[in-house]
Amino acid sequence: MGTGMPLTGFAIALPGPRVSDAANDAARDASRVAERALIERAQTGDRAAFEELVHRYDRDVLRLALNLMRRAEDARDVYQEAFLKAFKNIHRFRFECSFYTWLYRIVTNVCLDALRRRGSRPEDQAPELSDEKDTSRDFFDRQREPNPSSDPERQMLGHEIASKIAAAMTRLSPRERVVFEMKHYQGLKLRAIGDALGTSEETVKNSLFRATRKLRGQLGELV
């Protein structure tokens, strides 16, 4: 649109967003078509196509593994095992859900198995939570990234809270732990968690309720 053309009336002002939306939809459609082609090639044994799928999702998978396992070495093991399982089973993918949902399910199942094997050993790390009072959100939703500019006393309090939560988390079953992590540390909706775990939203809700109740009982005055 030329700079000298006046923008008057809704008839001229409205088409812009529609064009933008159409362009975004076209880009998403093109991406889905390209991904489907990659999947179909990978299903025939094309390693290069599968490697391209890995490149598309490797950061998401590693971030999920880190959030769930809390230790870098465990997350790397999950990452490798998950993609190996995906490669071995990609011929079973039937396009009934998105590839990301299918891959997400594999990763969470590998994490569940790893957490079961780990048993009740305490975690080395836990997400650091804000010590600020905020009554507008649930205690478990109040998180913050480590802030180097925080004063030492506040940092110490944050680490103390994190340590208590880490100890309390060991009381959860592996499934409760995964559901809690995905809801509060990744911000996923219950339906998305259910899709990833291959279960219903109601089952996820029940697991989250049990996990939260256990943690509140362990953390006492903190919550």
Side-chain angles (χ1 to χ4, degrees):
M1 183 178 293
T3 56
M5 182 179 293
L7 298 177
T8 57
F10 289 106
I12 295 176
L14 288 178
R18 290 198 190 104
V19 172
S20 177
D21 289 344
N24 289 336
D25 289 343
R28 283 192 292 268
D29 289 342
S31 178
R32 282 194 291 266
V33 169
E35 181 168 284
R36 185 182 182 100
L38 284 173
I39 294 168
E40 290 173 343
R41 284 169 50 200
Q43 288 177 326
T44 67
D46 188 330
R47 287 181 175 269
F50 184 78
E51 287 176 3
E52 178 60 31
L53 288 170
V54 171
H55 289 319
R56 286 187 173 213
Y57 295 108
D58 56 356
R59 290 187 179 182
D60 289 333
V61 167
L62 187 56
R63 181 168 58 247
L64 173 60
L66 280 168
N67 284 340
L68 295 180
M69 302 307 299
R70 312 311 303 169
R71 294 194 300 214
E73 62 271 24
D74 291 344
R76 284 193 293 268
D77 290 343
V78 165
Y79 172 93
Q80 293 174 358
E81 184 177 348
F83 275 120
L84 180 59
K85 285 192 172 185
F87 181 73
K88 289 181 176 179
N89 292 282
I90 196 169
H91 63 283
R92 297 179 180 175
F93 181 69
R94 295 292 179 260
F95 300 95
E96 295 171 350
C97 62
S98 70
F99 181 77
Y100 181 62
T101 296
W102 181 76
L103 182 60
Y104 214 94
R105 190 173 299 163
I106 291 175
V107 178
T108 52
N109 284 333
V110 172
C111 286
L112 278 170
D113 290 341
L115 288 170
R116 291 188 186 104
R117 290 194 299 268
R118 182 188 292 174
S120 60
R121 291 182 303 177
E123 301 302 311
D124 293 335
Q125 301 178 31
E128 187 174 332
L129 305 187
S130 172
D131 57 298
E132 295 176 349
K133 300 298 182 183
D134 181 355
T135 57
S136 66
R137 293 183 295 162
D138 185 270
F139 171 83
F140 296 115
D141 286 321
R142 300 200 299 270
Q143 303 175 66
R144 64 181 174 86
E145 293 298 322
N147 184 359
S149 63
S150 296
D151 62 85
E153 183 178 356
R154 181 171 177 174
Q155 279 192 326
M156 184 176 297
L157 179 58
H159 286 300
E160 181 181 353
I161 293 173
S163 296
K164 290 182 178 180
I165 291 176
M169 291 286 280
T170 65
R171 303 248 179 187
L172 304 182
S173 72
R175 182 169 289 272
E176 290 167 352
R177 166 72 179 274
V178 166
V179 168
F180 186 87
E181 293 268 1
M182 294 171 77
K183 172 65 172 65
H184 288 288
Y185 298 154
Q186 293 185 264
L188 295 180
K189 301 295 185 183
L190 297 182
R191 181 176 298 179
I193 297 172
D195 289 343
L197 295 176
T199 189
S200 68
E201 184 175 344
E202 187 64 27
T203 298
V204 170
K205 187 182 298 183
N206 290 337
S207 295
L208 182 63
F209 174 78
R210 289 194 301 271
T212 304
R213 184 176 58 185
K214 287 180 182 179
L215 289 175
R216 288 187 184 280
Q218 290 296 312
L219 295 173
E221 72 281 358
L222 285 178
V223 296

